[in-house]
Amino acid sequence: DTEVTQTPKHLVMGMTNKKSLKCEQHMGHRAMYWYKQKAKKPPELMFVYSYEKLSINESVPSRFSPECPNSSLLNLHLHALQPEDSALYLCASSQAVGPLYEQYFGPGTRLTVT
Amino acid sequence: DAKTTQPNSMESNEEEPVHLPCNHSTISGTDYIHWYRQLPSQGPEYVIHGLTSNVNNRMASLAIAEDRKSSTLILHRATLRDAAVYYCILAYSGYSTLTFGKGTMLLVSP
C-alpha cells in the first residue's frame, strides 16, 4: 500500500473559523511533509516532520499550526486564515528525510477561504 | 542552491517515445536527480531518481550525462495518461526535502 490519504477533499472556511486538515499513511514512513500549491504554480514546502518532530518550518505564518500525533498521522490546524491562503494543500511522506528517498503525495485538500 | 532548467512545454503523439530534458549545470557531487509528475487535479507522483548512473523502472528511464550537468527523462511509449507537468528536482544532501521548479507540461495527442 503506497497510499497517502487526505481529508477533507475540499474545505471552505471563513476568516474567523478554525479547521484542521488530516493526512494519514500506513507505509511505515518516518518523514511527513506539508506543501502548499497555488493555481498553476509548483508546490512549495511548508513543514517537515522527522520521527514525529518538526524539523523544518519554512517561515510559515503562525495561523498554520502543524501537528504530528504519531508516525502515521499528520494534521494541519488552520486559524484566522486570509483569502490569499486559498490553495491546494498537499501532504507527502517518505521513508526518511534525505535525497535518497522518494516522496509519496496525497491528492490534496483544496481550501477556499472566504 | 543548484537549480534546474526545463522547457515550459513539449508535445508528443501517443505511443511514441518522449525525451524530457533537464539542465542542472551547477549540480554538486552529492545531489540526487529526482523526477516527479503531476497529473491534472492530482498530487505529484514520484517517477524516478538517480545519482550518477542511468536508471530504469516500470514507469520510465533516466539518462544522466557523464558530467551530470544534464539529464533526460525517457517515457518509452507515451499514453494519454502521461499528459502531466513533469518536474526535474535536485535533492541536496544537506537539505531534507524537494524544491519544485516550474516543470515541463507534456501534451500527448491521440
Side-chain angles (χ1 to χ4, degrees):
Chain A
D1 180 12
T2 58
E3 192 179 21
V4 175
T5 59
Q6 290 188 244
T7 54
K9 285 189 169 54
H10 301 274
L11 178 63
V12 179
M13 61 185 289
M15 289 190 284
T16 58
N17 291 158
K18 285 186 183 181
K19 296 286 185 184
S20 297
L21 310 184
K22 179 180 171 181
C23 172
E24 201 160 4
Q25 57 89 12
H26 296 286
M27 294 178 276
H29 288 174
R30 302 316 299 266
M32 296 186 77
Y33 312 80
W34 280 114
Y35 290 83
K36 174 182 177 179
Q37 186 173 26
K38 300 282 278 184
K40 301 192 186 303
K41 298 288 188 184
E44 295 179 345
L45 180 70
M46 300 174 73
F47 303 103
V48 180
Y49 272 83
S50 177
Y51 288 84
E52 295 135 64
K53 291 191 180 344
L54 183 66
S55 65
I56 293 179
N57 175 342
E58 289 286 347
S59 303
V60 178
S62 60
R63 56 186 184 268
F64 296 92
S65 175
E67 178 195 22
C68 190
N70 60 56
S71 61
S72 300
L73 195 54
L74 185 67
N75 297 320
L76 185 63
H77 302 298
L78 314 172
H79 173 55
L81 295 192
Q82 304 296 311
E84 58 265 29
D85 296 322
S86 298
L88 181 67
Y89 287 85
L90 295 160
C91 173
S93 71
S94 61
Q95 188 176 335
V97 297
L100 183 59
Y101 304 104
E102 62 268 30
Q103 293 185 20
Y104 294 86
F105 285 79
T109 293
R110 189 160 300 281
L111 174 68
T112 303
V113 181
T114 61
Chain B
D1 293 349
K3 295 196 186 300
T4 61
T5 304
Q6 299 178 254
N8 289 333
S9 64
M10 291 184 65
E11 294 186 26
S12 175
N13 294 318
E14 205 174 7
E15 298 191 7
E16 289 184 356
V18 181
H19 290 234
L20 296 165
C22 181
N23 288 320
H24 28 78
S25 58
T26 58
I27 191 171
S28 71
T30 54
D31 292 346
Y32 280 77
I33 302 159
H34 283 242
W35 284 82
Y36 286 75
R37 70 181 186 181
Q38 189 169 20
L39 280 65
S41 302
Q42 295 189 25
E45 176 186 27
Y46 167 77
V47 177
I48 201 166
H49 75 283
L51 183 61
T52 56
S53 304
N54 294 344
V55 185
N56 299 297
N57 66 21
R58 63 173 181 82
M59 287 182 69
S61 296
L62 175 60
I64 301 173
E66 201 169 325
D67 63 6
R68 301 210 325 129
K69 293 184 185 301
S70 66
S71 60
T72 302
L73 179 71
I74 303 165
L75 307 179
H76 296 285
R77 288 184 68 202
T79 68
L80 296 178
R81 194 194 171 277
D82 292 322
V85 178
Y86 286 78
Y87 296 102
C88 169
I89 303 166
L90 296 184
Y92 312 102
S93 57
Y95 187 60
S96 50
T97 187
L98 307 172
T99 301
F100 286 78
K102 294 180 181 178
T104 296
M105 178 173 288
L106 175 65
L107 305 170
V108 181
S109 301

Short mmCIF file of all heavy atoms in Angstrom, two decimals, chain A residues 57-111:
data_model
loop_
_atom_site.label_atom_id
_atom_site.label_comp_id
_atom_site.label_asym_id
_atom_site.label_seq_id
_atom_site.Cartn_x
_atom_site.Cartn_y
_atom_site.Cartn_z
N ASN A 57 10.47 24.35 9.32
CA ASN A 57 9.33 25.24 9.18
C ASN A 57 9.80 26.33 8.24
O ASN A 57 10.68 27.11 8.58
CB ASN A 57 8.94 25.83 10.54
CG ASN A 57 7.84 26.87 10.44
OD1 ASN A 57 7.55 27.43 9.38
ND2 ASN A 57 7.21 27.16 11.56
N GLU A 58 9.22 26.37 7.03
CA GLU A 58 9.68 27.32 6.02
C GLU A 58 9.08 28.70 6.23
O GLU A 58 8.43 29.26 5.34
CB GLU A 58 9.35 26.79 4.61
CG GLU A 58 10.18 25.61 4.20
CD GLU A 58 11.61 26.01 3.85
OE1 GLU A 58 11.88 27.21 3.68
OE2 GLU A 58 12.45 25.10 3.73
N SER A 59 9.27 29.23 7.44
CA SER A 59 8.79 30.59 7.76
C SER A 59 7.30 30.76 7.46
O SER A 59 6.86 31.76 6.90
CB SER A 59 9.57 31.65 6.97
OG SER A 59 10.95 31.54 7.23
N VAL A 60 6.55 29.75 7.86
CA VAL A 60 5.10 29.76 7.62
C VAL A 60 4.41 30.58 8.72
O VAL A 60 4.78 30.46 9.89
CB VAL A 60 4.55 28.32 7.62
CG1 VAL A 60 3.04 28.31 7.41
CG2 VAL A 60 5.25 27.47 6.55
N PRO A 61 3.44 31.42 8.37
CA PRO A 61 2.73 32.22 9.39
C PRO A 61 2.11 31.34 10.46
O PRO A 61 1.70 30.20 10.20
CB PRO A 61 1.65 32.95 8.58
CG PRO A 61 2.16 32.96 7.17
CD PRO A 61 2.96 31.72 7.00
N SER A 62 2.00 31.87 11.66
CA SER A 62 1.52 31.08 12.80
C SER A 62 0.05 30.70 12.70
O SER A 62 -0.43 29.88 13.49
CB SER A 62 1.76 31.86 14.10
OG SER A 62 1.07 33.09 14.05
N ARG A 63 -0.68 31.26 11.75
CA ARG A 63 -2.07 30.85 11.57
C ARG A 63 -2.16 29.41 11.02
O ARG A 63 -3.22 28.82 10.99
CB ARG A 63 -2.83 31.82 10.66
CG ARG A 63 -2.22 32.04 9.29
CD ARG A 63 -3.00 33.14 8.57
NE ARG A 63 -2.54 33.35 7.20
CZ ARG A 63 -1.62 34.22 6.87
NH1 ARG A 63 -1.02 34.95 7.78
NH2 ARG A 63 -1.26 34.35 5.58
N PHE A 64 -1.02 28.87 10.58
CA PHE A 64 -0.91 27.46 10.20
C PHE A 64 -0.13 26.75 11.31
O PHE A 64 1.02 27.12 11.58
CB PHE A 64 -0.15 27.29 8.88
CG PHE A 64 -0.85 27.89 7.70
CD1 PHE A 64 -0.59 29.19 7.31
CD2 PHE A 64 -1.76 27.13 6.96
CE1 PHE A 64 -1.24 29.75 6.20
CE2 PHE A 64 -2.40 27.67 5.86
CZ PHE A 64 -2.14 28.98 5.49
N SER A 65 -0.73 25.73 11.90
CA SER A 65 -0.08 25.05 13.01
C SER A 65 -0.06 23.55 12.75
O SER A 65 -1.10 22.89 12.76
CB SER A 65 -0.86 25.34 14.31
OG SER A 65 -0.32 24.60 15.38
N PRO A 66 1.12 22.98 12.48
CA PRO A 66 1.17 21.54 12.20
C PRO A 66 1.23 20.73 13.49
O PRO A 66 1.63 21.22 14.55
CB PRO A 66 2.48 21.41 11.42
CG PRO A 66 3.36 22.47 12.00
CD PRO A 66 2.45 23.60 12.37
N GLU A 67 0.85 19.47 13.35
CA GLU A 67 0.90 18.56 14.50
C GLU A 67 1.11 17.15 13.97
O GLU A 67 0.51 16.77 12.96
CB GLU A 67 -0.43 18.62 15.27
CG GLU A 67 -0.50 17.66 16.45
CD GLU A 67 -1.91 17.47 16.96
OE1 GLU A 67 -2.89 17.71 16.20
OE2 GLU A 67 -2.07 17.03 18.12
N CYS A 68 1.95 16.39 14.65
CA CYS A 68 2.20 15.01 14.24
C CYS A 68 1.95 14.11 15.45
O CYS A 68 2.87 13.84 16.23
CB CYS A 68 3.62 14.84 13.72
SG CYS A 68 3.95 13.25 12.93
N PRO A 69 0.71 13.66 15.67
CA PRO A 69 0.37 12.92 16.89
C PRO A 69 1.05 11.55 16.97
O PRO A 69 1.32 11.06 18.06
CB PRO A 69 -1.14 12.73 16.79
CG PRO A 69 -1.60 13.66 15.73
CD PRO A 69 -0.45 13.91 14.82
N ASN A 70 1.29 10.93 15.82
CA ASN A 70 2.01 9.65 15.79
C ASN A 70 2.65 9.49 14.41
O ASN A 70 2.47 10.35 13.54
CB ASN A 70 1.08 8.48 16.13
CG ASN A 70 -0.09 8.35 15.19
OD1 ASN A 70 0.09 8.24 13.98
ND2 ASN A 70 -1.31 8.40 15.72
N SER A 71 3.34 8.41 14.22
CA SER A 71 4.13 8.26 12.99
C SER A 71 3.28 8.11 11.74
O SER A 71 3.79 8.24 10.63
CB SER A 71 5.07 7.06 13.12
OG SER A 71 4.33 5.87 13.31
N SER A 72 1.98 7.86 11.87
CA SER A 72 1.13 7.65 10.71
C SER A 72 0.26 8.85 10.37
O SER A 72 -0.34 8.90 9.30
CB SER A 72 0.18 6.46 10.94
OG SER A 72 0.90 5.28 11.16
N LEU A 73 0.20 9.79 11.27
CA LEU A 73 -0.79 10.85 11.17
C LEU A 73 -0.13 12.24 11.20
O LEU A 73 0.78 12.48 11.98
CB LEU A 73 -1.76 10.72 12.34
CG LEU A 73 -3.07 11.47 12.30
CD1 LEU A 73 -3.85 11.17 11.04
CD2 LEU A 73 -3.91 11.07 13.53
N LEU A 74 -0.64 13.12 10.34
CA LEU A 74 -0.15 14.49 10.30
C LEU A 74 -1.35 15.41 10.15
O LEU A 74 -2.22 15.17 9.31
CB LEU A 74 0.80 14.69 9.12
CG LEU A 74 1.52 16.02 8.98
CD1 LEU A 74 2.51 16.22 10.11
CD2 LEU A 74 2.24 16.10 7.64
N ASN A 75 -1.42 16.42 11.00
CA ASN A 75 -2.52 17.38 10.94
C ASN A 75 -1.99 18.77 10.61
O ASN A 75 -0.82 19.08 10.90
CB ASN A 75 -3.26 17.44 12.28
CG ASN A 75 -3.91 16.12 12.65
OD1 ASN A 75 -4.46 15.42 11.80
ND2 ASN A 75 -3.84 15.76 13.93
N LEU A 76 -2.85 19.58 10.04
CA LEU A 76 -2.54 20.99 9.85
C LEU A 76 -3.72 21.79 10.36
O LEU A 76 -4.82 21.72 9.80
CB LEU A 76 -2.27 21.31 8.38
CG LEU A 76 -1.81 22.73 8.07
CD1 LEU A 76 -0.45 23.03 8.74
CD2 LEU A 76 -1.70 22.96 6.56
N HIS A 77 -3.52 22.50 11.48
CA HIS A 77 -4.58 23.28 12.09
C HIS A 77 -4.56 24.68 11.52
O HIS A 77 -3.50 25.31 11.39
CB HIS A 77 -4.39 23.30 13.61
CG HIS A 77 -4.36 21.94 14.22
ND1 HIS A 77 -5.43 21.08 14.17
CD2 HIS A 77 -3.36 21.28 14.88
CE1 HIS A 77 -5.11 19.95 14.79
NE2 HIS A 77 -3.86 20.04 15.23
N LEU A 78 -5.75 25.15 11.17
CA LEU A 78 -5.90 26.43 10.48
C LEU A 78 -6.73 27.38 11.33
O LEU A 78 -7.79 26.99 11.85
CB LEU A 78 -6.60 26.21 9.14
CG LEU A 78 -6.10 25.04 8.28
CD1 LEU A 78 -7.02 24.84 7.08
CD2 LEU A 78 -4.67 25.29 7.84
N HIS A 79 -6.27 28.60 11.46
CA HIS A 79 -6.99 29.59 12.28
C HIS A 79 -6.75 30.99 11.75
O HIS A 79 -5.62 31.36 11.50
CB HIS A 79 -6.55 29.49 13.74
CG HIS A 79 -7.11 30.57 14.60
ND1 HIS A 79 -8.47 30.82 14.70
CD2 HIS A 79 -6.51 31.48 15.39
CE1 HIS A 79 -8.67 31.82 15.53
NE2 HIS A 79 -7.51 32.25 15.97
N ALA A 80 -7.83 31.73 11.58
CA ALA A 80 -7.74 33.13 11.15
C ALA A 80 -7.02 33.26 9.82
O ALA A 80 -6.11 34.09 9.66
CB ALA A 80 -7.07 33.99 12.22
N LEU A 81 -7.40 32.43 8.87
CA LEU A 81 -6.74 32.48 7.56
C LEU A 81 -7.22 33.67 6.74
O LEU A 81 -8.26 34.27 7.03
CB LEU A 81 -7.01 31.19 6.78
CG LEU A 81 -6.43 29.90 7.36
CD1 LEU A 81 -6.52 28.79 6.33
CD2 LEU A 81 -5.00 30.09 7.81
N GLN A 82 -6.45 33.98 5.72
CA GLN A 82 -6.74 35.07 4.80
C GLN A 82 -7.16 34.49 3.45
O GLN A 82 -6.79 33.36 3.13
CB GLN A 82 -5.50 35.94 4.62
CG GLN A 82 -4.93 36.49 5.91
CD GLN A 82 -5.90 37.43 6.58
OE1 GLN A 82 -6.45 38.34 5.95
NE2 GLN A 82 -6.14 37.22 7.88
N PRO A 83 -7.89 35.26 2.66
CA PRO A 83 -8.28 34.75 1.33
C PRO A 83 -7.10 34.29 0.49
O PRO A 83 -7.23 33.33 -0.29
CB PRO A 83 -9.01 35.95 0.70
CG PRO A 83 -9.57 36.69 1.87
CD PRO A 83 -8.54 36.55 2.97
N GLU A 84 -5.94 34.93 0.65
CA GLU A 84 -4.77 34.53 -0.15
C GLU A 84 -4.20 33.17 0.27
O GLU A 84 -3.32 32.63 -0.39
CB GLU A 84 -3.66 35.59 -0.09
CG GLU A 84 -3.16 35.91 1.30
CD GLU A 84 -3.84 37.11 1.91
OE1 GLU A 84 -5.03 37.38 1.57
OE2 GLU A 84 -3.19 37.78 2.75
N ASP A 85 -4.71 32.61 1.37
CA ASP A 85 -4.30 31.26 1.78
C ASP A 85 -5.07 30.18 1.02
O ASP A 85 -4.78 28.99 1.19
CB ASP A 85 -4.53 31.08 3.28
CG ASP A 85 -3.66 32.01 4.11
OD1 ASP A 85 -2.49 32.22 3.72
OD2 ASP A 85 -4.15 32.53 5.14
N SER A 86 -6.02 30.58 0.22
CA SER A 86 -6.75 29.61 -0.61
C SER A 86 -5.76 28.93 -1.55
O SER A 86 -5.01 29.60 -2.27
CB SER A 86 -7.84 30.31 -1.42
OG SER A 86 -8.78 30.91 -0.56
N ALA A 87 -5.75 27.60 -1.52
CA ALA A 87 -4.76 26.84 -2.30
C ALA A 87 -5.06 25.35 -2.15
O ALA A 87 -5.96 24.95 -1.41
CB ALA A 87 -3.34 27.12 -1.80
N LEU A 88 -4.27 24.55 -2.84
CA LEU A 88 -4.29 23.09 -2.65
C LEU A 88 -3.21 22.75 -1.63
O LEU A 88 -2.04 23.12 -1.80
CB LEU A 88 -4.00 22.40 -3.97
CG LEU A 88 -4.01 20.86 -3.96
CD1 LEU A 88 -5.42 20.33 -3.71
CD2 LEU A 88 -3.46 20.32 -5.28
N TYR A 89 -3.59 22.08 -0.55
CA TYR A 89 -2.63 21.70 0.48
C TYR A 89 -2.34 20.21 0.33
O TYR A 89 -3.23 19.37 0.41
CB TYR A 89 -3.17 22.05 1.87
CG TYR A 89 -3.13 23.54 2.07
CD1 TYR A 89 -4.18 24.35 1.62
CD2 TYR A 89 -2.03 24.16 2.65
CE1 TYR A 89 -4.12 25.73 1.75
CE2 TYR A 89 -1.97 25.53 2.79
CZ TYR A 89 -3.02 26.30 2.32
OH TYR A 89 -2.94 27.67 2.44
N LEU A 90 -1.06 19.93 0.11
CA LEU A 90 -0.61 18.57 -0.18
C LEU A 90 0.18 18.02 0.99
O LEU A 90 1.03 18.71 1.57
CB LEU A 90 0.29 18.57 -1.42
CG LEU A 90 -0.38 18.96 -2.73
CD1 LEU A 90 0.66 19.41 -3.75
CD2 LEU A 90 -1.18 17.80 -3.28
N CYS A 91 -0.08 16.78 1.31
CA CYS A 91 0.69 16.05 2.30
C CYS A 91 1.54 15.02 1.57
O CYS A 91 1.13 14.48 0.52
CB CYS A 91 -0.26 15.37 3.28
SG CYS A 91 0.53 14.28 4.46
N ALA A 92 2.71 14.75 2.08
CA ALA A 92 3.58 13.73 1.49
C ALA A 92 4.29 12.99 2.61
O ALA A 92 4.40 13.48 3.74
CB ALA A 92 4.59 14.35 0.53
N SER A 93 4.79 11.80 2.28
CA SER A 93 5.60 11.05 3.24
C SER A 93 6.74 10.38 2.51
O SER A 93 6.69 10.16 1.29
CB SER A 93 4.76 10.00 3.98
OG SER A 93 4.40 8.93 3.12
N SER A 94 7.80 10.05 3.26
CA SER A 94 8.91 9.30 2.71
C SER A 94 9.49 8.44 3.82
O SER A 94 9.26 8.68 5.01
CB SER A 94 9.99 10.22 2.11
OG SER A 94 10.53 11.07 3.09
N GLN A 95 10.28 7.46 3.43
CA GLN A 95 10.84 6.52 4.40
C GLN A 95 11.61 7.27 5.48
O GLN A 95 11.54 6.93 6.66
CB GLN A 95 11.74 5.54 3.67
CG GLN A 95 12.23 4.39 4.52
CD GLN A 95 13.04 3.39 3.71
OE1 GLN A 95 12.88 3.28 2.50
NE2 GLN A 95 13.91 2.66 4.38
N ALA A 96 12.36 8.26 5.08
CA ALA A 96 13.10 9.12 5.99
C ALA A 96 13.39 10.40 5.23
O ALA A 96 13.10 10.52 4.04
CB ALA A 96 14.39 8.45 6.44
N VAL A 97 13.95 11.40 5.91
CA VAL A 97 14.36 12.61 5.19
C VAL A 97 15.70 12.35 4.52
O VAL A 97 16.49 11.53 4.95
CB VAL A 97 14.46 13.83 6.13
CG1 VAL A 97 13.11 14.16 6.71
CG2 VAL A 97 15.48 13.60 7.21
N GLY A 98 15.93 13.06 3.42
CA GLY A 98 17.19 12.91 2.72
C GLY A 98 16.98 12.72 1.23
O GLY A 98 15.89 12.34 0.80
N PRO A 99 18.01 12.98 0.44
CA PRO A 99 17.88 12.98 -1.02
C PRO A 99 17.69 11.60 -1.62
O PRO A 99 17.32 11.49 -2.79
CB PRO A 99 19.20 13.60 -1.48
CG PRO A 99 20.17 13.26 -0.39
CD PRO A 99 19.37 13.33 0.88
N LEU A 100 17.94 10.57 -0.86
CA LEU A 100 17.85 9.21 -1.39
C LEU A 100 16.40 8.72 -1.48
O LEU A 100 16.09 7.81 -2.24
CB LEU A 100 18.65 8.27 -0.48
CG LEU A 100 18.77 6.80 -0.87
CD1 LEU A 100 19.43 6.67 -2.25
CD2 LEU A 100 19.58 6.05 0.17
N TYR A 101 15.49 9.36 -0.73
CA TYR A 101 14.16 8.81 -0.55
C TYR A 101 13.11 9.53 -1.37
O TYR A 101 13.00 10.76 -1.35
CB TYR A 101 13.77 8.86 0.92
CG TYR A 101 14.77 8.16 1.82
CD1 TYR A 101 15.66 8.87 2.59
CD2 TYR A 101 14.81 6.76 1.85
CE1 TYR A 101 16.59 8.22 3.38
CE2 TYR A 101 15.74 6.11 2.65
CZ TYR A 101 16.63 6.84 3.41
OH TYR A 101 17.54 6.19 4.19
N GLU A 102 12.28 8.75 -2.08
CA GLU A 102 11.20 9.35 -2.85
C GLU A 102 10.05 9.68 -1.92
O GLU A 102 9.84 9.03 -0.90
CB GLU A 102 10.72 8.42 -3.96
CG GLU A 102 10.15 7.10 -3.50
CD GLU A 102 11.18 5.98 -3.44
OE1 GLU A 102 12.38 6.28 -3.19
OE2 GLU A 102 10.77 4.82 -3.61
N GLN A 103 9.30 10.71 -2.31
CA GLN A 103 8.15 11.13 -1.53
C GLN A 103 6.87 10.66 -2.21
O GLN A 103 6.74 10.69 -3.43
CB GLN A 103 8.13 12.66 -1.38
CG GLN A 103 9.28 13.19 -0.55
CD GLN A 103 9.20 14.68 -0.30
OE1 GLN A 103 8.15 15.30 -0.42
NE2 GLN A 103 10.33 15.26 0.06
N TYR A 104 5.93 10.26 -1.38
CA TYR A 104 4.61 9.85 -1.85
C TYR A 104 3.62 10.93 -1.42
O TYR A 104 3.55 11.27 -0.24
CB TYR A 104 4.22 8.49 -1.26
CG TYR A 104 5.09 7.37 -1.75
CD1 TYR A 104 6.30 7.07 -1.11
CD2 TYR A 104 4.72 6.61 -2.85
CE1 TYR A 104 7.11 6.04 -1.56
CE2 TYR A 104 5.51 5.57 -3.30
CZ TYR A 104 6.71 5.29 -2.66
OH TYR A 104 7.51 4.27 -3.11
N PHE A 105 2.87 11.43 -2.39
CA PHE A 105 1.95 12.53 -2.13
C PHE A 105 0.50 12.05 -2.05
O PHE A 105 0.10 11.12 -2.76
CB PHE A 105 2.05 13.58 -3.25
CG PHE A 105 3.28 14.43 -3.19
CD1 PHE A 105 4.50 13.95 -3.64
CD2 PHE A 105 3.22 15.71 -2.66
CE1 PHE A 105 5.64 14.74 -3.57
CE2 PHE A 105 4.35 16.50 -2.58
CZ PHE A 105 5.56 16.01 -3.04
N GLY A 106 -0.26 12.74 -1.23
CA GLY A 106 -1.70 12.56 -1.22
C GLY A 106 -2.35 13.39 -2.31
O GLY A 106 -1.67 14.17 -2.99
N PRO A 107 -3.67 13.26 -2.47
CA PRO A 107 -4.38 14.00 -3.53
C PRO A 107 -4.61 15.47 -3.19
O PRO A 107 -4.94 16.26 -4.07
CB PRO A 107 -5.71 13.27 -3.63
CG PRO A 107 -5.90 12.67 -2.28
CD PRO A 107 -4.55 12.33 -1.76
N GLY A 108 -4.40 15.82 -1.92
CA GLY A 108 -4.54 17.21 -1.55
C GLY A 108 -5.92 17.57 -1.00
O GLY A 108 -6.91 16.86 -1.21
N THR A 109 -5.95 18.67 -0.26
CA THR A 109 -7.19 19.30 0.19
C THR A 109 -7.26 20.66 -0.47
O THR A 109 -6.34 21.48 -0.32
CB THR A 109 -7.22 19.48 1.72
OG1 THR A 109 -7.27 18.20 2.35
CG2 THR A 109 -8.44 20.30 2.12
N ARG A 110 -8.34 20.88 -1.20
CA ARG A 110 -8.50 22.19 -1.85
C ARG A 110 -9.23 23.12 -0.89
O ARG A 110 -10.38 22.90 -0.55
CB ARG A 110 -9.27 22.07 -3.15
CG ARG A 110 -9.26 23.36 -3.96
CD ARG A 110 -9.58 23.19 -5.42
NE ARG A 110 -8.65 22.33 -6.14
CZ ARG A 110 -7.45 22.69 -6.56
NH1 ARG A 110 -7.01 23.92 -6.35
NH2 ARG A 110 -6.68 21.84 -7.23
N LEU A 111 -8.52 24.14 -0.43
CA LEU A 111 -9.03 25.06 0.59
C LEU A 111 -9.42 26.38 -0.04
O LEU A 111 -8.65 26.96 -0.81
CB LEU A 111 -7.96 25.29 1.64
CG LEU A 111 -8.28 26.35 2.71
CD1 LEU A 111 -9.40 25.88 3.61
CD2 LEU A 111 -7.03 26.68 3.53
#
